[in-house]
Amino acid sequence: MKKKALYVATFGCQMNEYDSLKMVQMLSPSYEVVDAPEKADLILVNTCSIREKAENKVYSLVGRFKALKARKPRLKIGIAGCVAQQEGENMVRKAPYVDLVFGPHQLWRLPELVARLESGESGIVEVRLEERPDIPLVIGELPGGRPVRAFVTIMQGCDNFCTYCVVPHVRGRETSRPPGDIIEEVRSLVDQGVKDVTLLGQNVNSYGRKEKGGPGFAELLEMVASVPGLRRLRFTTSHPKDLDDAVMSCFAGIEQLCEHLHLPVQSGSNEILRRMNRRYTREAYLDKIERLRALVPDISITTDIIVGFPGETEKDYEATLSLLAEVGFDQIFAFKYSPRPFTKAAEMEETVPEEEKLRRLNHLLEFQNRLGLERLRRFEGRDMEILVEGHGKGGAPNLMGRTRHNVVVNFKGPEELIGEFTTVSILEAREHSLKASSIAPPSVRDGCTRETHIA
Ligand code: SAH
Ligand code: SF4
Ligand code: F3S
């Protein structure tokens, strides 16, 4: 039987990317992925609600699909993810051409929901949040060639209730997946050629804390790292308050664990951190960075920053700048605060005008660009192992890969390197990447040793 065509659009975080892959795998017996919505019988939009803009994008995209549906009435449109959870029934009222709305806890029922669509039902809304949601084991082929990097979600939801954040309200309470399922999934990925795995959760450091007798996060890292053939292991996101010595020591003790940590700080001001309900101070954060660097001096640390949180004064903002200078982040992701539904901060008076938020954001990014470039310069002149992911800008012979520190490296080299590890010589740091020349190891062909050196 000919498979139907499925188009998936994904917004938001890596957990959404993971969920989209699972949707594709669950539907793979009867659907195959197409690269354009015009070709689809079923369109799924996996949405994000973290900031205002992300949500608006969803509505305008879905609006475009309305026209498609007018031309092709059998086309079905489904909305998944955090905006779906947030909007629920509202969504089918606002956009009546949407056939299905389902939240993150109902994701795993997708085959059943699609069967209902196929039997003619529409306007289906499934957004119940479960007390203890399951993340079933769905193992399947990786679509789109043979990716070398993959994500594995190890937990769902969040219990932290940072006052600005919608996630606990749309993803529900924190639950951890059984370690056996995680290991089995990693094994399957490695069998398919994946060499670099990132474990995902909103707060991976609290993995397993609610389950009795199971492994904690540090033990889970050990278990995953021992999957044969896995060369690189990463995780995201860590909450600073829960990053403990056991996990920090893993960076020194587990060979596969890459020397990169994303540790969102959000603000350098204690008063703002308190209002955000982050439950750590600037000093506690700096102390963890110091301990981490004592273990792994060269580690790359990246972070998230919010500017313009309600009540953020110029002095608070300056405290964030001085924290950036003090830590020396390799990269930052900075956002203008935007009020989100259901959150405590949405009830706080907004004191920073939009233009001022934008000024702070731009100034912060500029400030960091200089610091980041300075950090990247430490790699100049080093020979580094990279995992080659594909072609770089402009196509062949440009290639791009990633270091263990998670820095993108551009260089020229033969196509056969794609999907492989290779060692390059770092020539120059750019603002967010490195330029290198490849030093392919001598290879033995037809009995003679060749050495290639491509600039
Ligand atoms: N679980 C992760 C982050 C999830 S959201 C953590 O705890 O760090 C990713 C980033 O989006 C956050 O770190 C924060 O910087 C930003 N963010 C979240 N809510 C926001 C809001 N209402 N306005 C602006 N930025 C926000
Ligand atoms: Fe949101 Fe805070 Fe949970 Fe991260 S830890 S998902 S920022 S509530
Ligand atoms: Fe967005 Fe939901 Fe992730 S709000 S950031 S897709 S958890």
Side-chain angles (χ1 to χ4, degrees):
M1 199 185 71
K2 193 176 175 300
K3 287 191 183 182
K4 292 187 173 174
L6 166 68
Y7 178 77
V8 184
T10 307
F11 297 89
C13 62
Q14 293 148 329
M15 297 181 87
N16 257 17
E17 279 184 47
Y18 175 84
D19 287 351
S20 288
L21 171 63
K22 294 296 136 182
M23 295 201 277
V24 168
Q25 289 177 331
M26 280 190 284
L27 295 180
S28 68
S30 42
Y31 283 85
E32 69 189 354
V33 175
V34 291
D35 58 4
E38 294 76 20
K39 298 179 191 164
D41 302 301
L42 170 65
I43 294 177
L44 293 174
V45 186
N46 197 5
T47 61
C48 169
S49 167
I50 202 78
R51 285 170 293 273
E52 224 142 29
K53 265 207 201 125
E55 191 179 298
N56 292 348
K57 262 194 227 157
V58 171
Y59 274 108
S60 67
L61 181 72
V62 175
R64 274 202 279 138
F65 295 154
K66 182 185 173 187
L68 275 184
K69 201 165 169 172
R71 273 183 274 145
K72 190 176 178 183
R74 66 186 162 77
L75 171 67
K76 304 284 182 203
I77 300 173
I79 313 293
C82 297
V83 178
Q85 185 65 40
Q86 178 190 308
E87 300 284 290
E89 293 280 347
N90 253 340
M91 192 129 213
V92 283
R93 269 199 290 273
K94 270 197 204 162
Y97 44 90
V98 166
D99 302 283
L100 166 67
V101 175
F102 60 115
H105 287 190
Q106 305 303 322
L107 182 89
W108 311 100
R109 290 174 56 205
L110 184 60
E112 167 208 325
L113 298 174
V114 169
R116 278 166 60 188
L117 287 181
E118 286 173 346
S119 68
E121 234 184 291
S122 71
I124 304 172
V125 178
E126 294 284 355
V127 290
R128 201 175 52 250
L129 283 181
E130 314 286 350
E131 200 48 49
R132 291 187 55 80
D134 250 3
I135 307 183
L137 182 62
V138 174
I139 284 183
E141 248 177 70
L142 293 168
R146 292 180 72 86
V148 282
R149 297 201 304 145
F151 301 125
V152 175
T153 290
I154 62 166
M155 52 210 299
Q156 166 80 276
C158 182
D159 289 351
N160 284 316
F161 292 95
C162 303
T163 55
Y164 51 80
C165 185
V166 75
V167 171
H169 307 279
V170 289
R171 292 257 172 182
R173 293 295 61 73
E174 182 184 293
T175 41
S176 298
R177 287 180 76 187
D181 283 7
I182 295 168
I183 300 297
E184 202 173 318
E185 196 166 325
V186 172
R187 277 218 180 94
S188 138
L189 291 169
V190 171
D191 286 347
Q192 293 183 66
V194 168
K195 297 178 168 100
D196 183 323
V197 165
T198 305
L199 305 180
L200 299 179
Q202 294 297 351
N203 180 17
V204 289
N205 301 111
S206 60
Y207 174 83
R209 275 193 202 160
K210 284 174 151 182
E211 327 298 321
K212 282 199 190 80
F217 187 53
E219 287 119 327
L220 181 75
L221 285 173
E222 297 267 2
M223 291 165 73
V224 174
S226 65
V227 169
L230 179 69
R231 292 276 299 271
R232 289 180 173 184
L233 178 60
R234 309 173 187 276
F235 57 83
T236 198
T237 304
S238 287
H239 194 301
K241 78 176 162 53
D242 295 315
L243 178 69
D244 58 17
D245 287 336
V247 173
M248 286 198 236
S249 309
C250 290
F251 282 104
I254 300 177
E255 154 74 35
Q256 292 84 344
L257 189 62
C258 293
E259 36 283 84
H260 167 226
L261 176 67
H262 186 61
L263 195 63
V265 66
Q266 314 298 357
S267 170
S269 151
N270 281 335
E271 174 55 17
I272 296 299
L273 289 172
R274 191 188 61 75
R275 290 167 66 87
M276 287 176 165
N277 190 32
R278 289 292 285 178
R279 287 178 281 167
Y280 53 82
T281 58
R282 173 192 178 103
E283 292 72 28
Y285 185 91
L286 288 170
D287 179 58
K288 292 206 177 174
I289 299 287
E290 200 177 303
R291 280 193 280 156
L292 198 56
R293 287 208 166 122
L295 288 165
V296 191
D298 190 34
I299 193 164
S300 280
I301 300 169
T302 56
T303 203
D304 292 345
I305 302 281
I306 296 176
V307 297
F309 187 79
E312 187 188 72
T313 61
E314 187 63 28
K315 220 168 141 231
D316 293 319
Y317 171 66
E318 280 165 14
T320 299
L321 294 178
S322 76
L323 181 100
L324 295 192
E326 211 165 319
V327 173
F329 290 107
D330 286 74
Q331 205 183 345
I332 68 165
F333 301 87
F335 313 100
K336 284 184 294 177
Y337 167 74
S338 63
R340 304 311 295 136
F342 322 120
T343 62
K344 280 238 171 73
E347 292 161 22
M348 298 176 190
E349 191 198 342
E350 280 226 60
T351 55
V352 188
E354 192 54 30
E355 318 82 72
E356 178 57 14
K357 282 184 195 168
L358 189 61
R359 187 196 68 81
R360 288 182 191 177
L361 178 70
N362 286 336
H363 176 243
L364 185 89
L365 291 173
E366 229 171 82
F367 185 79
Q368 169 61 27
N369 275 351
R370 267 177 289 140
L371 294 168
L373 181 60
E374 215 35 64
R375 286 285 298 158
L376 279 183
R377 287 216 169 102
R378 76 189 188 281
F379 298 124
E380 287 178 350
R382 280 202 220 170
D383 289 349
M384 300 187 85
E385 181 199 68
I386 60 167
L387 177 53
V388 185
E389 289 175 20
H391 286 298
K393 270 197 200 115
N398 298 324
L399 296 177
M400 70 75 69
R402 213 172 278 266
T403 64
R404 283 173 59 100
H405 295 81
N406 209 29
V407 183
V408 167
V409 179
N410 294 298
F411 68 110
K412 288 186 173 57
E415 205 160 74
E416 300 82 76
L417 284 179
I418 294 175
E420 303 297 328
F421 286 96
T422 188
T423 302
V424 295
S425 166
I426 307 297
L427 300 174
E428 191 191 344
R430 300 274 165 89
E431 231 159 48
H432 301 283
S433 62
L434 296 168
K435 192 179 164 216
S437 66
S438 89
I439 345 168
S443 63
V444 181
R445 275 199 207 137
D446 305 327
C448 71
T449 305
R450 288 196 329 168
E451 192 159 342
T452 23
H453 210 105
I454 303 150

